[in-house]
Amino acid sequence: MISQEKDPGTPATPDAPVGTSRAHPVTLREVAEAAGVSTATVSLVINKKKNARIADETRQRVKAAIQQLGYRPNAMAKTLVSGTSKFIGLVADGVATTPFAGQIIHGAQDEAWKHGYALLIANTEGNVDLENDAINMMLEYKVRGILYSTWFHRTTDIPETLREADFVLVNCFSPETSARAVVPNEAQGGQSATDVLIRGGHRRIAFINATTPAPARDGRLEGYKSALEAAGIAFDPDLVLEAFPDQEGGYGATKELLKHDITAVYCYNDRMAMGLYDGLRENGLSIPDDIAVVGFDNQEVIAAHVRPPLSTVSLPHYELGAAGVRLLLGLDQAPADSALQIECPAVERASVAVPSKA
């Protein structure tokens, strides 16, 4: 028999109208008394035991009492019985505080709700002790699984506590190829960015890459080379520059960039492109008439509001979160021995001139 004292519900009383506050939650015993049945019968109805020999009229009477009293089953008690809960954990090192990567949480939350789950979110800011405490708490709540996310695409070590749960890595991956992961397709994104310029009629296209080692640095360069090759344009290593991936890095690269005969530039990210905008204007050059520019990230606060608005490639943070939930629930499958890669779509704006149809 279920313990009445450990089965809290919503405030109401048998004698009070629905919605009236009371000093203690509705108990299983109070529902049983209102329906004129045993607490065991109420428990069977609440847990939808179809094989229980309970008359339809009795079931309806119990349901009516539940509705009238505003009784809510104890979710934690049900979790202890079933061994799992309707929660999915999300442990992140900073996605809740970055300007666009919070979309990972948004995507995961929407997808979780769609399948009857809610998110438990812990933002650790890279604090290892806090991370372990968060994972342990989620294990105590018997979450269905845990999404482990980083705010930028990188390799990661899998915390030992995380191995006690069903987990998926989001926006990061492990050298352990058996660990399920979902990441942006950086090479495809780099190819799409370069293709925007090629479709604009450009063949002398420079690429300002980042100095910081990262999967994005390698993948975006790979995509640049692939796009040139597919268009029959010879790769010129002199047109690949490196700079720190921020506004000052893009601005500082302008002088070296203008030593080369180019008509277009693809930048590692939007912040770098914003700095390049300033450098080109200081040299009396117009975008896109003299030089076309494409960025990467689609950071809205930058790309949509510089003048002219910046053509760029979007990092699919929302879809990364949603895909992580689908992988966790077994609705999608990751490729064998590799991460599931999510496409990075091009977002074309006015920083690349539309080719003439003449």
Side-chain angles (χ1 to χ4, degrees):
M1 181 179 294
I2 298 175
S3 170
Q4 291 80 27
E5 289 72 24
K6 295 182 179 179
D7 202 359
T10 54
T13 67
D15 302 319
V18 174
T20 302
S21 62
R22 60 180 287 153
H24 68 273
V26 177
T27 66
L28 202 71
R29 181 183 296 279
E30 289 170 330
V31 174
E33 289 175 351
V37 299
S38 68
T39 54
T41 298
V42 175
S43 178
L44 290 170
V45 172
I46 288 171
N47 291 295
K48 300 179 180 179
K49 299 294 185 180
K50 296 181 179 180
N51 295 329
R53 295 181 178 179
I54 302 173
D56 288 341
E57 185 274 335
T58 303
R59 286 184 186 273
Q60 294 305 315
R61 199 163 68 246
V62 170
K63 290 178 181 178
I66 288 171
Q67 184 174 6
Q68 179 186 357
L69 299 179
Y71 173 81
R72 294 182 186 275
N74 187 329
M76 287 304 297
K78 293 179 71 174
T79 292
L80 291 172
V81 172
S82 66
T84 187
S85 72
K86 300 302 285 184
F87 289 114
I88 290 173
L90 191 153
V91 177
D93 68 356
V95 297
T97 56
T98 53
F100 52 86
Q103 286 294 310
I104 290 176
I105 293 175
H106 191 186
Q109 182 172 271
D110 285 353
E111 192 69 22
W113 274 117
K114 189 185 300 183
H115 301 290
Y117 290 86
L119 283 188
L120 289 177
I121 302 168
N123 188 45
T124 67
E125 298 295 337
N127 183 308
V128 175
D129 291 336
L130 180 57
E131 179 179 274
N132 285 329
D133 287 345
I135 294 172
N136 282 325
M137 179 272 291
M138 291 175 182
L139 292 173
E140 289 173 7
Y141 272 82
K142 298 185 182 295
V143 293
R144 169 61 181 78
I146 298 175
L147 305 182
Y148 184 84
S149 182
T150 56
W151 78 268
F152 72 94
H153 181 191
R154 63 177 175 85
T155 58
T156 189
D157 295 324
I158 300 172
E160 286 304 313
T161 49
L162 189 64
R163 297 178 189 275
E164 297 180 40
D166 189 13
F167 69 90
V168 172
L169 306 176
V170 177
N171 206 34
C172 55
F173 61 97
S174 168
E176 299 178 33
T177 55
S178 60
R180 290 176 299 171
V182 54
V183 299
N185 190 333
E186 305 281 6
Q188 169 271 315
Q191 183 164 355
S192 293
T194 311
D195 282 340
V196 169
L197 294 168
I198 293 171
R199 289 198 303 273
H202 300 280
R203 297 184 68 81
R204 294 288 294 172
I205 302 169
F207 175 39
I208 309 178
N209 203 357
T211 53
T212 310
R217 179 175 181 264
D218 298 334
R220 295 175 194 186
L221 175 59
E222 178 187 340
Y224 167 75
K225 291 179 177 179
S226 296
L228 295 179
E229 182 179 4
I233 301 172
F235 170 68
D236 184 349
D238 291 338
L239 297 187
V240 177
L241 285 65
E242 291 189 351
F244 194 79
D246 64 4
Q247 186 174 1
E248 290 304 314
Y251 176 81
T254 308
K255 183 176 180 181
E256 180 63 27
L257 187 74
L258 294 181
K259 293 178 182 179
H260 302 279
D261 178 24
I262 59 167
T263 63
V265 184
Y266 153 40
C267 296
Y268 172 84
N269 65 20
D270 293 346
R271 289 178 297 160
M272 188 181 281
M274 182 168 61
L276 179 64
Y277 267 46
D278 293 337
L280 293 176
R281 287 196 177 106
E282 284 189 6
N283 283 273
L285 297 172
S286 172
I287 302 168
D289 296 335
D290 296 316
I291 293 183
V293 180
V294 168
F296 204 115
D297 286 351
N298 193 31
Q299 193 167 337
E300 276 290 316
V301 70
I302 296 174
H305 301 291
V306 292
R307 293 291 179 266
L310 178 66
S311 292
T312 184
V313 169
S314 180
L315 277 172
H317 289 103
Y318 180 94
E319 183 55 30
L320 287 173
V325 171
R326 292 195 297 270
L327 279 181
L328 189 67
L329 297 179
L331 303 173
D332 288 348
Q333 298 296 321
D337 299 329
S338 66
L340 176 65
Q341 297 192 74
I342 304 298
E343 182 174 335
C344 301
V347 181
E348 299 191 41
R349 299 189 179 98
S351 64
V352 179
V354 177
S356 172
K357 294 182 180 180

